[in-house]
Amino acid sequence: MAEVVSPVPGAGRREPGEVGRARGPPVADPGAALSPQGEIIEGCRLPVLRRNQDNEDEWPLAEILSVKDMSGRKLFYVHYIDFNKRLDEWVTHERLDLKKIQFPKKEAKTPTKNGLPGSRPGSPEREVKRKVEVVSPATPVPSETAPASVFPQNGSARRAVAAQPGRKRKSNCLGTDEDSQDSSDGIPSAPRMTGSLVSDRSHDDIVTRMKNIECIELGRHRLKPWYFSPYPQELTTLPVLYLCEFCLKYGRSLKCLQRHLTKCDLRHPPGNEIYRKGTISFFEIDGRKNKSYSQNLCLLAKCFLDHKTLYYDTDPFLFYVMTEYDCKGFHIVGYFSKEKESTEDYNVACILTLPPYQRRGYGKLLIEFSYELSKVEGKTGTPEKPLSDLGLLSYRSYWSQTILEILMGLKSESGERPQITINEISEITSIKKEDVISTLQYLNLINYYKGQYILTLSEDIVDGHERAMLKRLLRIDSKCLHFTPKDWSKRGKW
């Protein structure tokens, strides 16, 4: 989920950064080879013992990224092939299956990509697997302006929505496949210095591929980071990094934090509170006016975001921080950032719900809030791609529920089936047309029948939607939003 000062020497103006599916196994160091003693070295691949979600033992293939000695005992940092990088970990010798070890190949440098040198050659060839969304070739893509009606599906549907014949269908309505997290379709090869926050992975090295922070204490929570974050190098050897939960300033010890808290008078994020309902508040933070907070926020977020890039300059961005209030203050739950001016209709650059608050509906609330801002601005919006695996799940769910809510709320006039266009759905929800179309196809709702586009809602779809909405207790109340959009194009400098 974007914009940070990097205290790491040699990190440049860009550090990798919003939660995502691993793009493939890392490549071994140049010249990596089996030592004369037959030691396990970086670049080797072999099965490694781990526990899965069902608490069962499994032996997925993993790659050795680093080896270190701790008190005379060797530890190996492994990346599980085709697993998310957040599962990478240090393991002991006992968890390695040495019978199936694959040693790295000696190769010349990898071919250059877009004029940039390849990463590091040496390890067995990696395959980038694409997850392709299957759309029936018999089902054409609907026009954005052609209305659609609601037919029963095999007599079991309650509603359906179809399109008028005779309208010309626009070509290329469907954009790139957002479901493909490993695909680089539509992603600029070299991200702009303002705007796109997609990480250029060709610059990845062994340092940024390994988690460097062991543990973060933030208020009453202790967080285990998932990914690399460019905190100062001297802090990466500490067992715990202590953060002030209100200004997000970091310290090397509990004593440092306690001393800081006697001076820090913040009890909420800086900036303007633009929404409050119950204990939930949103604060709008300008990356130029509150640079220190914005940079600290991005350093924290980078621990849980892998697909985005962090910049020194936070000026072009706004940050919307969601908090939960109690007697001690406003505690950060999550945030999203967005460009002040986006040429590609991005209403979210990075988005993150902190791990202690995940799976409680807060992620969807952040997404809903971003679209409420787009409604006030009179625009349609879309998140910057690629989405992380968790981000994609949240967005797919939000888009599906929002669009189904519209379709199920349609009322027939004069006994005719209700009709609606893609453009109308987009205008009502502020969801970009491409996202509306891809969601309808993902739900398998679009059918073409006798010159009309039919959106058929089966009993299963309707029942599943109603059950999901009963569980969705947290919603944005537009009456509680106090937000006036600014025209940044007229402001010259941010």
Side-chain angles (χ1 to χ4, degrees):
M1 15 333 80
E3 321 65 356
V4 165
V5 166
S6 166
V8 175
R13 285 187 57 84
R14 173 202 64 79
E15 289 87 26
E18 202 177 185
V19 191
R21 185 171 299 154
R23 289 176 175 264
V27 187
D29 283 329
L34 178 61
S35 70
Q37 292 78 23
E39 294 176 352
I40 301 168
I41 55 174
E42 293 171 11
C44 290
R45 291 188 179 185
L46 71 173
V48 177
L49 176 64
R50 72 178 293 272
R51 286 286 178 95
N52 62 21
Q53 290 180 331
D54 300 322
N55 209 28
E56 298 169 345
D57 289 348
E58 60 180 8
W59 292 84
L61 185 66
E63 180 161 354
I64 306 292
L65 295 190
S66 184
V67 183
K68 71 177 180 182
D69 275 303
M70 288 283 289
S71 307
R73 193 181 191 195
K74 280 203 170 180
L75 294 176
F76 306 89
Y77 192 85
V78 299
H79 165 67
Y80 298 103
I81 310 302
D82 295 330
F83 284 72
N84 193 285
K85 273 170 58 180
R86 63 174 168 266
L87 299 175
D88 295 0
E89 60 179 336
W90 289 98
V91 301
T92 58
H93 191 276
E94 294 78 20
R95 290 174 59 182
L96 308 179
D97 183 357
L98 301 178
K99 295 176 184 176
K100 298 180 181 178
I101 191 167
Q102 304 171 26
F103 292 104
K105 298 175 183 177
K106 290 183 179 178
E107 294 177 325
K109 283 199 170 183
T110 51
T112 57
K113 181 181 178 184
N114 302 318
L116 298 169
S119 38
R120 301 180 328 267
S123 92
E125 270 191 68
R126 60 180 182 169
E127 295 179 4
V128 178
K129 295 187 178 181
R130 287 186 167 197
K131 183 181 176 185
V132 181
E133 187 173 316
V134 180
V135 179
S136 170
T139 305
V141 177
S143 163
E144 296 160 2
T145 55
S149 344
V150 185
F151 279 75
Q153 188 180 53
N154 299 328
S156 63
R158 298 184 189 174
R159 305 175 181 81
V161 191
Q164 287 181 349
R167 297 283 184 94
K168 287 188 179 179
R169 182 164 53 89
K170 292 184 182 178
S171 61
N172 300 326
C173 290
L174 187 62
T176 56
D177 177 20
E178 297 113 354
D179 219 356
S180 177
Q181 290 301 287
D182 299 336
S183 167
S184 58
D185 295 347
I187 300 171
S189 56
R192 306 189 302 275
M193 289 312 293
T194 57
S196 175
L197 294 174
V198 175
S199 175
D200 181 3
R201 307 309 286 250
S202 63
H203 291 292
D204 278 6
D205 55 36
I206 197 67
V207 174
T208 60
R209 287 183 177 177
M210 293 171 56
K211 301 170 195 174
N212 58 335
I213 304 294
E214 184 68 27
C215 181
I216 290 175
E217 184 168 303
L218 180 70
R220 61 181 178 269
H221 299 293
R222 282 208 167 183
L223 317 176
K224 287 194 76 68
W226 296 347
Y227 309 110
F228 170 88
S229 181
Y231 279 103
Q233 204 159 4
E234 62 269 19
L235 301 179
T236 61
T237 57
L238 301 173
V240 181
L241 181 62
Y242 295 88
L243 266 61
C244 170
E245 63 175 325
F246 299 113
C247 72
L248 304 182
K249 186 175 179 180
Y250 45 84
R252 57 184 308 115
S253 67
L254 183 58
K255 193 169 184 180
C256 288
L257 176 65
Q258 289 169 342
R259 197 161 55 238
H260 165 79
L261 290 175
T262 61
K263 305 171 191 173
C264 183
D265 54 1
L266 275 182
R267 287 298 173 267
H268 59 77
N272 299 321
E273 185 181 10
I274 60 173
Y275 179 91
R276 183 188 292 188
K277 184 173 184 183
T279 59
I280 301 295
S281 290
F282 280 85
F283 290 82
E284 182 184 55
I285 294 144
D286 189 322
R288 181 179 68 85
K289 293 179 181 176
N290 299 285
K291 193 164 289 191
S292 176
Y293 180 88
S294 302
Q295 291 165 353
N296 288 336
L297 174 61
C298 291
L299 281 170
L300 171 63
K302 177 61 192 74
C303 291
F304 307 98
L305 303 178
D306 187 43
H307 270 79
K308 302 296 182 178
T309 298
L310 310 186
Y311 296 129
Y312 278 97
D313 187 13
T314 60
D315 288 13
F317 296 92
L318 294 168
F319 298 83
Y320 294 90
V321 178
M322 179 167 65
T323 64
E324 202 171 48
Y325 175 77
D326 65 17
C327 60
K328 293 183 179 178
F330 294 80
H331 308 278
I332 181 170
V333 169
Y335 90 106
F336 67 88
S337 59
K338 64 184 286 189
E339 295 176 75
K340 292 174 180 176
E341 286 187 283
S342 173
T343 56
E344 301 178 41
D345 297 329
Y346 293 141
N347 63 354
V348 164
C350 292
I351 185 167
L352 171 70
T353 305
L354 290 173
Y357 298 96
Q358 290 177 0
R359 303 184 66 84
R360 291 164 58 181
Y362 289 116
K364 213 165 283 177
L365 201 67
L366 280 167
I367 295 170
E368 187 177 1
F369 190 78
S370 71
Y371 280 106
E372 283 298 327
L373 297 185
S374 295
K375 289 176 187 176
V376 176
E377 293 168 338
K379 300 175 182 176
T380 58
T382 188
E384 186 174 293
K385 312 298 188 307
L387 293 166
S388 67
D389 55 350
L390 300 180
L392 179 66
L393 285 173
S394 295
Y395 266 96
R396 276 282 183 224
S397 179
Y398 173 79
W399 289 333
S400 300
Q401 290 179 8
T402 304
I403 291 169
L404 286 172
E405 211 169 17
I406 298 294
L407 299 181
M408 289 172 62
L410 290 174
K411 294 179 180 177
S412 58
E413 296 179 9
S414 310
E416 295 183 3
R417 294 184 183 90
Q419 296 191 342
I420 193 168
T421 66
I422 299 294
N423 274 343
E424 286 169 349
I425 295 174
S426 181
E427 286 168 13
I428 294 168
T429 61
S430 280
I431 299 172
K432 206 171 181 182
K433 291 189 284 282
E434 289 80 1
D435 295 332
V436 173
I437 294 169
S438 70
T439 303
L440 291 173
Q441 291 182 322
Y442 171 77
L443 294 171
N444 203 24
L445 297 185
I446 299 176
N447 294 287
Y448 193 68
Y449 179 71
K450 292 186 178 179
Q452 287 189 318
Y453 295 103
I454 313 296
L455 306 185
T456 308
L457 305 186
S458 67
E459 285 286 351
D460 290 343
I461 292 270
V462 172
D463 291 342
H465 171 72
E466 288 175 347
R467 284 195 303 272
M469 295 307 289
L470 286 174
K471 294 177 185 175
R472 191 171 158 189
L473 303 177
L474 293 173
R475 298 297 298 269
I476 294 295
D477 185 350
S478 57
K479 295 173 186 173
C480 300
L481 176 62
H482 304 285
F483 169 70
T484 305
K486 301 176 181 69
D487 187 353
W488 297 100
S489 61
K490 296 180 180 177
R491 293 181 164 243
K493 271 196 169 185
W494 290 306

